[in-house]
Every structure is written in structure tokens, then in C-alpha cells.
Amino acid sequence: MNIKVIRGDITAQKVDAIIVNLFEGVQQPGGGTGAVDQALGGGISQLIASGEIKGKINEVTIVHTLGRIPSPRVAVAGLGKQTEFTPDRARQVAAVAARAVRKAGAKTAATITHGAGIAGMEPEAAAQALAEGTILGLYRFRKYLTKKENDNDIEEFSVVERDEEKASAIERGVNAGHIMADSANVARDLVNEPSNYMTPTRLAEVAVDIAGCWLLEVQVMEREEMEKLGMGGILAVAKGSAEPPKFIVMSYKGDPSSVKTLGLVGKGLTFDSGGISIKPSEHMEEMKGDMAGAASVIAAMNAIAQLRLKVNVTALVGATENMPSGTAQKPGDILKTMSGKTVEVVNTDAEGRLTLADVLTYARKLGLSPVIDVATLTGACHIALGDVCTGAFGNNQDIMNKLIEAGEQAGECVWQMPMMEEYKQQNKSDIADIKNSGGRYGGAITAAQFLAEFVEDTPWVHLDIAGTFMRDKERGYLVKGATGVPVRTLVNAARGLAAS
Ligand code: BES
Ligand code: MN
Ligand code: ZN
């Protein structure tokens, strides 16, 4: 979809549908909505008076214009109560409205910016929210459908602004939102791809392609190199699979004057069957998305480089499958990680932490700081926080606060979880330095405590996205399937670090 900013009047646009908005309770709309209402001879205000248009959040009413303005349809999108309006609602409204006009058959659409009027959002922020919501909300993964129903796609989408002073801010916002949302959609595509296609090899190829687009440094290590580095954690997980593991390193240098480099680490299990501690078959297909952490850091690099943020960032991904086979690791095995620490593998399904142990050690070796890791690590985190908030665990409150703030800006809730020393007891092994499962209780925390052993004193935050990386129903700009969480949070965090 092409998205552009037009200086002009929304009523004068000749597209398949124009989009305007309305706060709940407003009887006489102003701004762009008011202009369209006037051009329609009060058609919108009449529908408000009769109660057909209420302005409730997520309400979209399609009004036919019957030749009174050049566009045949107007979609009036409800903004909800003005007192309850948030920037995230601007994204939501954009998504719901864009889907409604697509459903009505529109191939071209034009919209006003939601939230920049009486709601008082800065035009740039409102425009970014608009572009993000629209692009995220229209996302579909239809690559493997040979018969596409509802085939219509919006090809041209225009943001219309009459006020010349606001227009350049809106252009900046639309551009940033476009990059953010496209990048989140890159992550969604990677996660939605089935594991027979999205293998560690393919994931590495995608990272190399993205690096090529933005002139990032990229390196893909093979099994032999990982062996030389002593990466006994990821290699033990990879043992059971016929697919070769890959270790991906992508580097962006946006601030050559600084010696600091932010580390983004992603869990890259292209399929997690559980291994010999095999998972129940129900919902096992969701484990094709166990590389969502990897997808999000690769996609974040795509955005960070495109936005030319003044910050150095290195992304690290350990990619492998976790499969049961005659060559697979077995419960009770003891392995030696790159850090030198030994691990008793009491459950081969706790494989994410085994791979991350080595990747985090490698991050330390590179001197990356701070380090943010993103992982679909534990079902326990999904149980604790549902599909709304990502669990956050760390050893540095300053970095934690920055991530929470970055999440707020993105409309992606990041919720801090406790990290008391006491939880570490559960990871104690009698015969190795640590074991890879602390049992059911507090499972998300004990998993984070396991990772903490390999981070040591590096300022670090771990994001457990097991509950938020995909969803089973649509919500606003989040569609069914992969969500692209927390790509936009990571980009905001990188921007925050660039500023500080
Ligand atoms: N990839 C899973 C966690 C997961 C579950 C992510 C559901 C997304 C949705 C992880 O590798 C895993 O299997 N974790 C185990 C840990 C346990 C064996 C200690 C879990 O959560 O059950
Ligand atoms: Mn697992
Ligand atoms: Zn896993």
C-alpha cells in the first residue's frame, strides 16, 4: 500500500472512501468531519441526531454521498469519549476504519488525522499513530491461500491536511509510522511463516537480506564456529534437529562517536516441539512462532537503520529447532555452556534458556550494554499476564523504566515482574551448576533468573513475549495471528537510549 500526505481539503478528494471521525456525544462535528457534514447538507449531523452515529470507540458508519462530494463513501469513525482518548486509541481507530473501508471495497482512501483536533495530540504524533494503526490494522498473511476471498486491497491511502503549517509535521509522523508498522509487519510475516519454510537457514537469509537493504554489518555463524566458541547450550538443543543451527549477528553503527552498543538478543526457535520432553499435540502448531523474539529484534534493526537513529545497536539471534530424535539431548543430560557454567537439563522443553545462555554470553563477550532480550520463553508468563502485557525482568531499574516508557509510547504494555534472590533456589541442581527448570511455580521468574546467571553484571532487561507474540482474535490494530510485539517498543527504546 502506498501512503502519502496531501495538502488540501478532505471533502475535495476523489477516492473510493474518505474517513472522518467523531467523539462520542458531539452533536455538531467540527474540523474535517464538520466540513464533510456541510458538504453533505448536514447528512452526518442528522445521523448523529437520530442516534445512528454515536461516535463510540470502534464504531464505523459508512455513509453514501450520492454525488454530493467526489468520493462515493464517507466512513465516520468513532473516537469514543473525549475524556478517555489516548494516543493508542488513535491507532485503534485508524485500524478499524481502514478495515471497514477495505471491506466496503475501497481500493483508494483518504483520511483526516485522528486526535490532532480537539483531542490536542501533536500533529506529528497523531500522524505517526494514524500510519501505524492503518498499516498494522490492514495486515493479512495470505501468502499460502490459493483462492483469496475478500480479495480487495487498499492500494492508495492519503492523509489529508488543510493547514500548511501542520502538513510537514504530519509528513514526518506518517513517514516514521510507516517505517515502524512495516517493520512490525516484517516480524509478523516471519512468525506467521510455517516452520517448514522458516527454518534457521531461511531466518538467517532474511537477516542478511535486511542487512543488505540498509548497509548493516551481518555475520552468520555455522555449527562449527559455535562449536569452537563452546556454545554447548544452543548446540545441545540443535542436536535433535536435521536443520543446521545458525547464529546471526547484525550491527548498526548510528553513533560512531560513542563506544556504547545496545544489544538486542532474540530467541530463535523456528520450531519447539519440546524435544524428548515432547509437548502435547494440541496447539503445538503455535510453536512455529517460537522465533518471535528473533523476528522482533531483526525487524527492529530494519526500523532503527531506516530511521537512522543516532545509536549503535547489535542484534544477536541463536536460531535452531527443538526436535525429538535419536540424536536429541535427553532429560538428565548435563551440558557445558559458552560461559563455562554447566547445566543439568531436567526438561528438554526448557530449551529457550539453554540457547539464550550462550547468546547472552556472546553479548557479554562483545561488550554490548545494555542488553535487551526478547523471548517466547514461558507458558507461565502467558498464564500470569494473559495476552495484554509482556513480562519484563531485569537487573537495572533505569533500563527497565526506559523500556516501560518505550512500551507505553508504542501502546505495547511492558509489565515489570519481581526478581527476588529467593526464586534462584528453584534452579539449584545437585550435580551441575544450575538446572534448566525451576518447576511450575513462578516459572516465568525462575526462567528469567536462569538467564540472569549468564548476563552477570551487564545492565539487562528480559522481555517474555509468550503471551503477546500472537493472538487468537483481532483487537484494534492487532490482527489474528502474529502481533509484531515488541518491535515498536524496541525501536522506541533504542531512540530513548540515543537521546540519553
Ligand atoms: N516456547 C515455550 C514457551 C511458550 C509456551 C511460548 C506457549 C509461547 C506459548 C518454551 O520453550 C517452553 O516450552 N517453556 C516451558 C518451560 C518449562 C518446561 C520449564 C513452559 O513454559 O512450559
Ligand atoms: Mn520449549
Ligand atoms: Zn520454546
Side-chain angles (χ1 to χ4, degrees):
M1 184 183 73
N2 192 20
I3 180 163
K4 61 172 192 263
V5 178
I6 290 178
R7 290 157 165 83
D9 220 309
I10 186 76
T11 53
Q13 303 307 309
K14 190 175 179 347
V15 286
D16 296 333
I18 59 174
I19 300 168
V20 295
N21 60 40
L22 185 76
F23 273 115
E24 192 174 339
V26 170
Q27 295 294 316
Q28 277 300 328
T33 312
V36 175
D37 183 38
Q38 270 184 6
L40 297 180
I44 294 174
S45 42
Q46 274 167 39
L47 289 167
I48 298 170
S50 72
E52 200 169 324
I53 299 181
K54 295 190 178 67
K56 284 191 183 302
I57 187 77
N58 292 341
E59 166 198 280
V60 182
T61 314
I62 307 256
V63 180
H64 295 271
T65 65
L66 308 175
R68 302 188 84 144
I69 57 174
S71 293
R73 298 175 200 86
V74 180
V76 183
L79 297 175
K81 293 201 176 76
Q82 199 186 327
T83 50
E84 292 170 6
F85 189 76
T86 59
D88 202 49
R89 281 202 164 179
R91 287 189 199 96
Q92 260 182 63
V93 169
V96 174
R99 281 199 299 264
V101 301
R102 177 175 68 189
K103 201 167 173 204
K107 287 191 168 18
T108 57
T111 186
I112 58 170
T113 307
H114 314 302
I118 49 174
M121 276 180 82
E122 291 295 333
E124 183 170 344
Q128 181 174 339
L130 174 66
E132 285 184 8
T134 303
I135 296 166
L136 291 169
L138 290 173
Y139 174 85
R140 293 189 279 203
F141 185 74
R142 294 192 303 172
K143 187 176 163 188
Y144 296 102
L145 294 173
T146 58
K147 274 202 209 93
K148 296 186 180 70
E149 280 163 39
N150 261 323
D151 202 15
N152 170 59
D153 267 317
I154 300 180
E155 283 149 20
E156 280 281 330
F157 191 87
S158 313
V159 179
V160 182
E161 176 56 52
R162 198 174 35 185
D163 186 344
E164 179 62 35
E165 269 174 40
K166 285 187 185 170
S168 56
I170 287 183
E171 238 154 32
R172 283 196 304 276
V174 165
N175 180 50
H178 192 179
I179 292 171
M180 292 287 244
D182 269 355
S183 297
N185 285 347
V186 164
R188 286 172 168 185
D189 274 346
L190 292 174
V191 170
N192 285 328
E193 283 285 359
S195 73
N196 57 336
Y197 176 80
M198 191 47 62
T199 58
T201 302
R202 181 72 199 128
L203 188 63
E205 281 167 10
V206 172
V208 169
D209 285 351
I210 288 175
C213 286
W214 315 113
L215 304 175
L216 305 177
E217 265 175 50
V218 63
Q219 182 197 356
V220 179
M221 282 193 264
E222 307 294 327
R223 192 196 305 265
E224 297 67 43
E225 263 169 287
M226 294 186 239
E227 275 164 2
K228 269 186 218 144
L229 288 163
M231 294 184 167
I234 181 170
L235 289 171
V237 176
K239 264 169 75 177
S241 170
E243 291 291 337
K246 303 280 166 174
F247 193 108
I248 306 162
V249 185
M250 297 168 87
S251 291
Y252 165 73
K253 288 197 174 58
D255 188 7
S257 69
S258 167
V259 293
K260 280 203 114 176
T261 301
L262 164 66
L264 298 179
V265 167
K267 171 174 171 181
L269 268 289
T270 59
F271 191 75
D272 177 15
S273 70
I276 297 296
S277 313
I278 197 164
K279 289 180 180 294
S281 52
E282 208 181 339
H283 298 304
M284 202 202 271
E285 72 281 1
E286 291 175 8
M287 287 300 109
K288 71 177 183 179
D290 210 20
M291 34 55 75
S296 71
V297 307
I298 293 169
M301 293 302 276
N302 182 65
I304 290 166
Q306 232 174 310
L307 290 165
R308 299 167 183 270
L309 297 188
K310 195 171 181 289
V311 60
N312 303 321
V313 192
T314 294
L316 302 176
V317 166
T320 179
E321 286 184 334
N322 184 25
M323 297 293 281
S325 77
T327 58
Q329 67 169 338
K330 302 171 287 298
D333 286 0
I334 295 180
L335 57 82
K336 189 172 192 136
T337 58
M338 182 182 171
S339 69
K341 291 195 170 90
T342 57
V343 182
E344 181 188 4
V345 180
V346 295
N347 191 323
T348 64
D349 198 11
E351 85 299 336
R353 65 199 78 179
L354 299 177
T355 66
L356 288 169
D358 286 336
V359 186
L360 290 167
T361 300
Y362 194 76
R364 254 184 86 74
K365 190 182 145 181
L366 295 184
L368 307 180
S369 175
V371 168
I372 301 167
D373 83 69
V374 188
T376 46
L377 201 64
T378 67
C381 194
H382 194 174
I383 300 286
L385 297 174
D387 63 14
V388 179
C389 290
T390 293
F393 311 73
N395 60 8
N396 181 300
Q397 197 57 39
D398 179 45
I399 304 299
M400 176 67 72
N401 292 342
K402 286 200 169 95
L403 262 160
I404 292 170
E405 157 91 34
E408 262 165 29
Q409 279 172 19
E412 299 178 332
C413 170
V414 170
W415 196 263
Q416 183 172 5
M417 302 285 275
M419 280 288 269
M420 285 81 190
E421 286 281 318
E422 285 86 336
Y423 290 104
K424 288 192 175 171
Q425 296 300 325
Q426 284 167 248
N427 289 334
K428 285 231 157 94
S429 164
D430 292 329
I431 56 170
D433 296 336
I434 191 169
K435 62 180 178 184
N436 77 331
S437 169
R440 270 160 57 84
Y441 301 115
I445 305 168
T446 53
Q449 292 284 18
F450 181 96
L451 301 181
E453 292 295 326
F454 299 87
V455 187
E456 299 188 30
D457 55 0
T458 305
W460 157 78
V461 172
H462 154 63
L463 298 177
D464 192 334
I465 56 167
T468 51
F469 80 106
M470 64 170 275
R471 43 188 308 112
D472 51 15
K473 45 186 175 315
E474 182 179 284
R475 192 188 77 213
Y477 51 87
L478 298 179
V479 295
K480 202 171 155 182
T483 59
V485 169
V487 172
R488 291 177 302 112
T489 297
L490 295 176
V491 180
N492 289 342
R495 188 188 280 108
L497 290 165
S500 72

